[in-house]
Amino acid sequence: MAQQPRAWQRMLSGRRLDLLDPTPVDIEIEDIAHGLAFVARWNGQTQGDFAYSVAEHSLLVETLFSRIAPGAPVKWQLAALLHDAPEYVIGDMISPVKAAVGPGYGALDERLEAAIHIRFGLPAKIPAPIKKQIKKADKISAWMEATQIAGFSAAEADKFFGKPDPNIMTDLTIVLRTPTETRNAFTARHHTLLKALP
């Protein structure tokens, strides 16, 4: 009988995460923060001395979401922070690659997202109106990244990500930090939000 291919990954915490059937008990924020801090957005094709990580992007998306939806419950701020959390084990693929990989990638992402949400007290599926607001923040973040560190003109970014409301971006700039600094900032923000949950 042929042996099934290995579908789990060992985390630095010692947890074994089954990628095909993830459970909330095998998910630790330290593993997520560490993984995301070392995953580069834009396939690493950004200016600066450090890659722009998914962890840094997630912090920006949470800030933007809070501006788009002021007064939103803390749980939705947490959902915004964790919107790309599955990428700590499956990496960040640019949209053309996701399309080429097909629906299998999306299914894997959804299973991981549900387990992560349940682990931190969120519903497995985020309500559509909240998801839409998080997606809007995600696109504004992508626009900022495109124009500030990825070499896009504003016109190009407008075409791909939509023209953002400049008021939402007031006083915000892309931050490039070491993976360790970003990991610590992500973990700290997660702990702050978790503590504020009712």
Side-chain angles (χ1 to χ4, degrees):
M1 181 185 272
Q3 188 177 1
Q4 290 287 340
R6 181 170 74 95
W8 56 267
Q9 179 176 344
R10 186 184 188 282
M11 300 293 149
L12 287 177
S13 64
R15 299 280 190 193
R16 278 190 181 195
L17 182 66
D18 184 336
L19 302 179
L20 301 180
D21 187 22
T23 62
V25 295
D26 289 322
I27 290 163
E28 301 291 347
I29 195 58
E30 291 77 14
D31 292 331
I32 292 172
H34 184 82
L36 295 183
F38 283 90
V39 174
R41 296 248 313 153
W42 302 91
N43 282 346
Q45 298 301 305
T46 52
Q47 300 157 358
D49 294 331
F50 302 105
Y52 187 71
S53 73
V54 175
E56 199 72 73
H57 162 78
S58 298
L59 287 161
L60 179 58
V61 168
E62 192 255 320
T63 299
L64 290 164
F65 169 78
S66 297
R67 290 180 175 197
I68 290 166
V74 173
K75 66 180 177 179
W76 303 140
Q77 292 175 261
L78 182 59
L81 182 70
L82 296 172
H83 80 285
D84 277 340
E87 294 180 8
Y88 86 109
V89 285
I90 58 176
D92 179 43
M93 289 192 198
I94 58 173
S95 296
V97 175
K98 286 180 187 173
V101 170
Y105 178 88
L108 184 64
D109 184 78
E110 283 177 22
R111 285 194 297 271
L112 283 163
E113 183 178 67
I116 291 164
H117 286 171
I118 292 166
R119 169 67 176 87
F120 299 115
L122 297 171
K125 280 199 169 288
I126 302 301
I130 302 301
K131 201 153 178 98
K132 188 176 178 183
Q133 290 175 316
I134 293 171
K135 188 66 186 168
K136 181 177 179 181
D138 193 32
K139 284 193 166 189
I140 295 170
S141 177
W143 189 94
M144 291 175 64
E145 295 161 29
T147 57
Q148 292 183 32
I149 58 171
F152 284 58
S153 69
E156 285 176 309
D158 288 351
K159 180 180 166 189
F160 290 112
F161 309 110
K163 191 178 179 88
D165 178 351
N167 295 319
I168 293 170
M169 302 181 292
T170 302
D171 300 327
L172 293 178
T173 55
I174 296 300
V175 177
L176 295 174
R177 296 185 274 190
T178 67
T180 304
E181 289 174 295
T182 307
R183 179 186 66 203
N184 294 343
F186 184 94
T187 305
R189 185 60 184 155
H190 179 268
H191 286 324
T192 298
L193 293 172
L194 213 55
K195 205 183 289 187
L197 283 175

